[in-house]
Amino acid sequence: MAFTAPNRARAREIVERYPFKRSAVLPLLHLAQDQDGWVTPEAMEEVGELVGISAAQVLGVCSFYTMFKREQVGGLVVSVCTNVTCLVRGGPELYEALRARYASDDDVFVEEVECLAACDTAPVMQVNYDYHSRMTPETAEAVIEEYKSGKRTRRGISGGRITIAGSDR
Amino acid sequence: MGETRIVTKRLRDHPDDSWTLERYLATGGYQSLSKALQMAPAEIREEQVKASGLRGRGGAGFPAATKWSFLGDDVDQPRYLACNADEGEPSTFKDHMLIEGDPHQLVEGIVIAARSIQTRNAFIYIRGEFALGADRLDQAVREAYEQGWLGTNIKGSGMDLDVVVHRGAGAYIAGDETGLLSSLEGERAMPRVKPPFPAAEGLYACPTVVNNVETLSTLPAIIDKGGEWYGSLGVGKSTGTRVFSVSGHVERPGNYEVELGMTFRELIYDLAGGISGGRDLKFFIPGGASSPWLMPSHLDVPLDMDVVQNDYKSMLGSGAIMVYDETVDPLLVAWRLVKFFAHESCGKCTPCREGSGWLEKILYRMSHGQGRAEDMDLLLDVSDNIVPGLNAPFAQTTICALGPSIVSPIVSLERFFRDEIVERFGRPEVRAGEEPPAVPSGPTVPVSFPAGAGS
Ligand SMILES: Cc1cc2nc3c(=O)[nH]c(=O)nc-3n(C[C@H](O)[C@H](O)[C@H](O)COP(=O)(O)O)c2cc1C
Ligand code: FES
């Protein structure tokens, strides 16, 4: 989808912050992903238009960064760290358990990620980029279910505070 | 010896609200900047930062004042400051804490640095996954504008500064300073060939300083108590304190800010509580994933950047200490580290792009019950194409230091675990008519063992 009117205004503000428009590509892609839940081809067109490059160039940038999803992933991105501290603290087991548990749930996308810089609380999980520490498969599932039921407030798919008016992320 | 809290003082003393403007102002916040605004740019650099001996906390340990001096005096051309808040080095979690716990301290440090290098534009490149950190930094920046510590004519000093918080999007390589600049320009985060160094041609091809979060967060304390005071702490050319992230098999994993010169033993055993469950230490990684490993026999080595580098062929790097007990298979750790580098290689340089993948595959089979007798030599052979000679300090065939980093775990296996590996997989078969390979007494590629580094 194209940017909504308020998001288009925000997008213009973001472009203004930089000495050169192209620098706004990453923040604009975050904005688009928070709005739509993934980076749509239309969004890439529009971002290109806003900063003066082609949609293909935007795709080239977008595809480099792991946070950007170029297909629909549902409403919750669950990132489980398996890097070298989580590795010896139950990270891989946590990842496998959650992957199996949510394999057929279209709303929950479980992915393996690199070190999340919270190794003192390993194993670590993020849900839409909010941290959850010292997880077990059971506590992690309970947390994810609370997001699903709305008991916990979720961020956007790009980690922006979509629920807070006036936020530009 | 305990902790010496300087950059972590506020967030430890006031864990419930250390990030708020109210707490910041109530605990001396922005007083250093007031002082710095009375100082000339060169005075900040020479009499404070240079005197403090402050070296970069991002990994390379380059003296901050020297880096700033490379920008020269031609202030008519635009110049930029970029704060490296991309913290992605596995098992490093200090900048994450400093950003969430004390964002105003970072902002104040940025304004002080900006005054000294005379820039009007600074960017904070924050790792995309740090959502809360970005919220807190955004708020701190907004408040600093409202209070007149950012913007035009800051507190009547005539100084102007704009700060933009810029979120990355998941790419370790954006932590390399030239990768960061590419990313900030809206490109793939591909590192650039140096020279030209960022100080000559950085962001938008203009002179640029890139400094780490902890480096910049230290500036308010240096201005407050004086460069000489800071320089009197620490040991040798490793002055002051550093925040070490200790994780893995220790009783109390966490960040510890200590005066440099303390030993690994004091940090791992006294502060972090020693190995959990009373087990034995097998090995530890002293400076982030990119650093060669050390052994229990190295516990009394001091936390001194130069000693660790010159005498023990490793580095304090990003200040992350990973501790592994006797139950850990070093091959598994090596595999996971190399898998990380293979995943994060940007693909620009052939030795790194191809080599990382090959090494990952070999290490995968070795760590998953399918190792072959010749695999250790094969690892060294491939590694030699990334770091010719495999001798410390590592030679570089790649544009950035990610390439040599891949080789660190492998050189470490060779240095300390070759016998264990040979025992597990046997010796390479001797084919008819061939000389028996010189294993384990000599690998195919010579690896230099620093004096006293053997376990
Ligand atoms: C692959 C790679 C990743 C890096 N990641 C980081 C990082 O996440 N944070 C950081 O401050 N420095 C990182 N560095 C070091 C930077 O290139 C640079 O030296 C540093 O930001 C300079 O700041 P300092 O002088 O204050 O330490 C990385 C270097 C390489 C080669
Ligand atoms: S290794 Fe998992 S958070 Fe660092």
Side-chain angles (χ1 to χ4, degrees):
Chain A
M1 197 183 121
F3 282 126
T4 59
N7 278 343
R8 185 144 178 112
R10 269 187 219 170
R12 291 228 169 80
E13 258 169 52
I14 291 171
V15 173
E16 284 299 304
R17 292 180 193 158
Y18 296 92
F20 294 87
K21 287 181 179 180
R22 184 168 177 151
S23 284
V25 172
L26 261 54
L28 293 183
L29 288 171
H30 278 306
L31 183 66
Q33 180 159 275
D34 276 333
Q35 177 187 293
D36 299 333
W38 59 298
V39 184
T40 65
E42 296 78 33
M44 286 191 238
E45 291 270 350
E46 196 170 358
V47 169
E49 201 183 286
L50 281 160
V51 306
I53 61 178
S54 71
Q57 285 172 300
V58 177
L59 171 61
V61 175
C62 181
S63 61
F64 187 83
Y65 297 91
T66 54
M67 283 178 73
F68 295 135
K69 313 297 182 211
R70 283 167 293 124
E71 48 196 46
Q72 257 165 327
V73 289
L76 291 174
V77 171
V78 176
S79 314
V80 184
C81 172
T82 61
N83 210 306
V84 286
T85 296
C86 291
L87 175 74
V88 298
R89 288 280 184 183
E93 295 77 4
L94 178 65
Y95 169 63
E96 290 303 337
L98 293 178
R99 208 169 61 128
R101 167 67 183 79
Y102 291 102
S104 55
D105 187 332
D106 287 344
D107 203 38
V108 181
F109 180 75
V110 180
E111 62 178 5
E112 181 182 20
V113 298
E114 301 297 355
C115 176
L116 288 168
C119 330
D120 49 341
T121 61
V124 180
M125 164 179 95
Q126 284 187 326
V127 180
N128 290 7
Y129 303 101
D130 273 325
Y131 280 90
H132 299 280
S133 301
R134 299 187 183 88
M135 288 283 110
T136 64
E138 295 72 36
T139 54
E141 184 180 336
V143 167
I144 294 168
E145 292 303 316
E146 286 180 8
Y147 279 106
K148 289 187 69 172
S149 69
K151 221 169 136 193
R152 283 177 189 265
T153 315
R154 58 174 78 172
R155 290 175 182 269
I157 289 291
S158 243
R161 282 272 184 85
I162 46 170
T163 47
I164 292 183
S167 157
D168 51 18
R169 289 199 322 276
Chain B
M1 266 207 303
E3 283 194 74
T4 305
R5 290 174 179 167
I6 296 173
V7 283
T8 58
K9 182 165 172 36
R10 186 174 296 101
L11 63 89
R12 293 299 190 202
D13 288 351
H14 306 281
D16 297 330
D17 63 355
S18 59
W19 61 90
T20 62
L21 178 68
E22 294 68 39
R23 176 60 68 193
Y24 197 64
L25 294 177
T27 47
Y30 291 108
Q31 292 309 308
S32 297
L33 178 53
S34 283
K35 249 167 110 177
L37 290 174
Q38 310 297 318
M39 298 177 185
E43 184 185 348
I44 298 175
R45 188 182 70 223
E46 296 299 316
E47 285 164 38
Q48 302 296 331
V49 181
K50 192 167 179 188
S52 77
L54 178 68
R55 290 166 68 176
R57 304 302 196 222
F62 197 82
T66 311
K67 188 185 280 189
W68 297 0
S69 71
F70 291 154
L71 288 197
D73 295 323
D74 174 17
V75 290
D76 295 335
Q77 198 193 359
R79 39 175 65 193
Y80 298 103
L81 172 65
C83 168
N84 192 339
D86 194 49
E87 191 172 60
E89 182 78 7
S91 295
T92 314
F93 46 92
K94 64 186 180 69
D95 296 342
H96 183 193
M97 176 180 75
L98 290 171
I99 292 163
E100 284 185 5
D102 209 339
H104 276 288
Q105 177 175 257
L106 175 57
V107 171
E108 184 172 4
I110 286 171
V111 190
I112 293 169
R115 175 157 184 89
S116 183
I117 65 177
Q118 303 183 68
T119 175
R120 306 170 39 108
N121 293 90
F123 296 88
I124 306 176
Y125 188 101
I126 180 168
R127 186 172 167 184
E129 291 89 338
F130 291 172
L132 178 64
D135 286 349
R136 295 236 170 115
L137 261 182
D138 267 348
Q139 182 173 344
V141 166
R142 205 177 324 118
E143 288 166 343
Y145 272 105
E146 285 162 12
Q147 299 277 317
W149 296 112
L150 286 176
T152 46
N153 192 19
I154 295 171
K155 300 288 175 188
S157 65
M159 174 185 174
D160 302 337
L161 180 66
D162 281 317
V163 171
V164 174
V165 178
H166 184 95
R167 286 179 71 207
Y172 167 65
I173 196 62
D176 168 72
E177 57 184 1
T178 59
L180 182 149
L181 297 174
S182 298
S183 185
L184 197 46
E185 290 176 6
E187 307 266 0
R188 302 181 139 225
M190 299 272 199
R192 306 168 180 176
V193 178
K194 297 188 269 194
F197 287 91
E201 271 182 48
L203 189 63
Y204 314 123
C206 294
T208 302
V209 164
V210 181
N211 271 139
N212 167 262
V213 167
E214 187 185 345
T215 314
L216 293 167
S217 295
T218 307
L219 296 174
I222 290 176
I223 298 292
D224 177 34
K225 299 219 181 78
E228 272 179 32
W229 161 79
Y230 192 84
S232 71
L233 302 174
V235 59
K237 286 189 179 150
S238 298
T239 58
T241 60
R242 276 193 74 168
V243 184
F244 289 95
S245 305
V246 186
S247 70
H249 289 137
V250 286
E251 284 287 345
R252 291 189 294 276
N255 282 313
Y256 296 94
E257 182 176 4
V258 303
E259 209 178 319
L260 287 159
M262 178 184 265
T263 64
F264 283 106
R265 186 185 303 280
E266 287 168 304
L267 181 57
I268 295 172
Y269 284 83
D270 298 346
L271 288 172
I275 313 303
S276 30
R279 283 190 290 270
D280 283 338
L281 171 67
K282 182 141 185 172
F283 65 100
F284 62 99
I285 311 186
S290 305
S291 65
W293 308 351
L294 294 176
M295 298 294 279
S297 58
H298 301 125
L299 281 170
D300 294 311
V301 171
L303 297 165
D304 174 323
M305 299 181 223
D306 305 300
V307 169
V308 172
Q309 182 158 343
N310 300 331
D311 300 348
Y312 297 93
K313 311 298 178 205
S314 184
M315 57 181 190
L316 288 189
S318 63
I321 301 180
M322 288 163 257
V323 178
Y324 294 105
D325 74 16
E326 56 193 306
T327 64
V328 171
D329 179 2
L331 278 169
L332 190 70
V333 174
W335 163 68
R336 189 60 186 82
L337 286 171
V338 172
K339 182 182 176 212
F340 164 77
F341 290 121
H343 181 244
E344 300 298 335
S345 172
C346 79
K348 191 164 179 172
C349 310
T350 310
C352 170
R353 181 186 65 238
E354 303 299 321
S356 59
W358 296 351
L359 293 169
E360 191 263 321
K361 290 192 184 81
I362 302 164
L363 280 164
Y364 179 83
R365 69 172 180 241
M366 293 174 85
S367 56
H368 290 76
Q370 293 162 37
R372 302 171 192 167
E374 62 274 18
D375 277 348
M376 192 63 224
D377 289 339
L378 186 55
L379 286 177
L380 294 173
D381 196 19
V382 176
S383 300
D384 184 62
N385 290 319
I386 305 173
V387 176
L390 296 180
N391 296 313
F394 288 168
Q396 198 164 313
T397 54
T398 50
I399 290 174
C400 87
L402 196 149
S405 299
I406 310 167
V407 167
S408 282
I410 291 158
V411 166
S412 307
L413 289 175
E414 171 66 18
R415 279 182 190 160
F416 304 124
F417 297 106
R418 188 175 180 93
D419 290 348
E420 188 179 317
I421 292 167
V422 166
E423 197 176 308
R424 204 178 318 174
F425 303 123
R427 284 152 205 278
E429 215 177 287
V430 185
R431 293 191 201 93
E434 276 181 16
E435 284 290 303
V439 177
S441 55
T444 47
V445 178
V447 177
S448 77
F449 288 81
S455 59

